């Protein structure tokens, strides 16, 4: 297939580009960062600002499918109105361009923050654990709102056109380059710290696997699925930690393993046959320090993320 990947210079985009190339797909990578004006490597790279409708329309024709990962990736480092305008309008323009260009399928990168309890101005927490796609949605911040409205745009598109799609809600994304800084302290805390998403996380490579599964499955309409690791970042029994920090305010639902993630991926398994294959234990020791093998890949620039970046430059 000819696949367009937006936000290709981010860790999600780069890991996805690498995975698509491994599967033999023809990839066009799009991002707002400047291009390297040399002979193309494995993929064609196009610089584009997708908040501009003309840019989105220009890069879309000729592709069978789209992975839309372009976004400001969180609520903390930009003014709220900038986050909302950037993320929502880029998604709107990409979907509109995909429809008009006859794209068959679009995978939209949404977020675990959509229900609203990750960054609320007025605190509230999830109703039950593990969290799933049926949980009520009440976002307060601009980032979560932009991702939720993106899901609504996908719903509208599949009703009025032949486009089909999946919105994937990844939880906290980890790879060799950030897992020690992010997950290491949680491992060392051993469940003594509180977590809005109930200690969930996911490897960017498991996310790339789910994106490819969603792209290549002939599922009609638009579906929303979570993406998380099978275990939690604390490495402790989920139910015990939820009771410790939230008392009886959170309903405990069945889990497949004691140290289960705080986010369920049962729907993704049911629809796409996808199950997470990677754990923080593959990258960190019991003290939360990076293991020699991932450290070696990181030092050598041979991680999947690095390979994706290299394919575009």
């Amino acid at each position: 297939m000819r696949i367009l990947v937006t936000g290709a210079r981010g860790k999600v985009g780069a890991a996805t580009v690498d995975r698509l190339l491994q599967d033999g797909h023809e990839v066009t990578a799009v991002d707002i960062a400047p291009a390297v004006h040399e002979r193309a490597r494995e993929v064609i790279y196009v610089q584009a600002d997708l908040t501009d409708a003309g840019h989105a329309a220009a890069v879309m024709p000729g592709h069978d499918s789209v992975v839309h990962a372009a976004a400001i990736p969180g609520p903390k480092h930009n003014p709220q109105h900038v986050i909302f305008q950037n993320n929502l309008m880029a998604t709107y323009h990409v979907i509109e361009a995909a429809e008009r260009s006859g794209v068959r399928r679009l995978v939209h990168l949404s977020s675990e923050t959509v229900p609203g309890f990750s960054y609320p101005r007025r605190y509230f927490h999830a109703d039950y654990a593990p969290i799933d796609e049926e949980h009520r949605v009440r976002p307060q911040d601009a980032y979560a709102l932009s991702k939720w409205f993106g899901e609504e745009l996908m719903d509208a598109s599949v009703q009025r056109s032949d486009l089909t799609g999946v919105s994937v809600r990844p939880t906290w994304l980890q790879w060799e380059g950030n897992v020690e800084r992010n997950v290491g302290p949680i491992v060392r805390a051993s469940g003594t710290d509180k977590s809005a998403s109930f200690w969930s996380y996911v490897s960017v490579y498991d996310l790339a696997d789910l994106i490819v599964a969603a792209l290549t499955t002939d599922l009609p309409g638009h579906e929303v699925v979570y993406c998380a690791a099978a275990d939690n970042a604390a490495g402790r029994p989920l139910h015990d930690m939820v009771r410790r920090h939230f008392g009886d305010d959170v309903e405990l639902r069945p889990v497949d393993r004691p140290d289960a993630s705080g986010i369920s991926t049962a729907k993704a398994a049911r629809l796409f046959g996808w199950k997470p294959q990677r754990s923080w234990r593959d990258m960190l020791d019991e003290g939360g320090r990076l293991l020699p093998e991932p450290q070696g890949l990181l030092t050598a620039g041979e991680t999947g993320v690095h390979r994706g970046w290299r394919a575009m430059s």
Side-chain angles (χ1 to χ4, degrees), residues 31-222:
D31 208 303
I32 199 167
V36 176
H37 293 277
E38 307 295 347
R39 184 188 294 271
R41 294 185 186 267
E42 294 94 328
V43 304
I44 297 170
Y45 179 84
V46 182
Q47 181 182 9
D49 179 357
L50 298 172
T51 64
D52 184 306
H55 285 216
V59 301
M60 194 63 61
H63 294 94
D64 304 303
S65 302
V66 176
V67 178
H68 178 46
I72 294 173
K76 291 186 174 181
H77 303 296
N78 301 84
Q80 294 288 291
H81 70 283
V82 173
I83 295 168
F84 188 77
Q85 191 277 337
N86 180 90
N87 292 359
L88 186 61
M89 293 314 300
T91 301
Y92 176 82
H93 293 321
V94 165
I95 292 172
E96 288 282 311
E99 283 184 33
R100 293 193 174 102
S101 296
V103 169
R104 180 188 66 83
R105 194 154 183 81
L106 195 154
V107 175
H108 161 239
L109 269 293
S110 184
S111 171
E112 67 165 342
T113 65
V114 163
F117 34 75
S118 292
Y119 299 100
R121 292 184 182 179
R122 291 186 173 179
Y123 174 79
F124 71 103
H125 53 67
D127 298 328
Y128 54 83
I131 301 157
D132 62 18
E133 295 83 0
E134 299 303 314
H135 196 286
R136 56 181 172 166
V137 171
R138 297 176 293 167
Q140 298 175 18
D141 66 284
Y143 176 73
L145 281 165
S146 74
K147 291 297 186 177
W148 181 34
F149 289 174
E151 294 178 6
E152 296 293 304
L153 289 172
M154 289 292 295
D155 275 341
S157 178
V158 301
Q159 292 178 54
R160 68 182 180 237
S161 75
D162 294 330
L163 184 70
T164 64
V166 180
S167 289
V168 180
R169 293 178 180 174
T171 187
W172 199 18
L173 286 162
Q174 307 302 318
W175 68 294
E176 295 91 341
N178 67 358
V179 66
E180 182 173 358
R181 180 174 59 184
N182 290 342
V183 176
I186 300 173
V187 172
R188 291 188 289 276
S190 300
T192 60
D193 57 336
K194 198 170 184 178
S195 169
S197 61
F198 302 144
W199 304 273
S200 63
Y201 74 99
V202 71
S203 163
V204 72
Y205 307 119
D206 275 333
L207 173 57
D209 290 345
L210 177 54
I211 289 169
V212 172
L215 274 178
T216 54
T217 302
D218 291 327
L219 196 69
H222 169 234

Side-chain angles (χ1 to χ4, degrees), residues 191 199 232 234-243 255 257-260:
W199 304 273
N232 64 68
R236 296 292 185 269
L238 177 67
H239 286 178
D240 291 352
M241 291 191 295
V242 172
R243 278 287 175 262
V255 292
R257 51 191 286 177
D259 64 340

Side-chain angles (χ1 to χ4, degrees), residues 219-289:
L219 196 69
H222 169 234
E223 297 286 350
V224 176
V225 297
Y226 275 109
C227 182
D231 60 351
N232 64 68
R236 296 292 185 269
L238 177 67
H239 286 178
D240 291 352
M241 291 191 295
V242 172
R243 278 287 175 262
R244 176 178 184 175
H245 292 285
F246 299 92
D248 295 327
D249 290 343
V250 175
E251 175 192 345
L252 297 179
R253 296 190 172 181
V255 292
D256 294 333
R257 51 191 286 177
D259 64 340
S261 171
I263 288 179
S264 169
T265 59
K267 185 177 179 181
R270 185 175 71 253
L271 294 181
F272 307 116
W274 172 89
K275 290 186 178 180
Q277 301 298 312
R278 299 162 181 88
S279 167
W280 61 264
R281 293 176 174 87
D282 300 322
M283 295 187 282
L284 302 178
D285 63 22
E286 293 300 322
R289 304 301 179 190

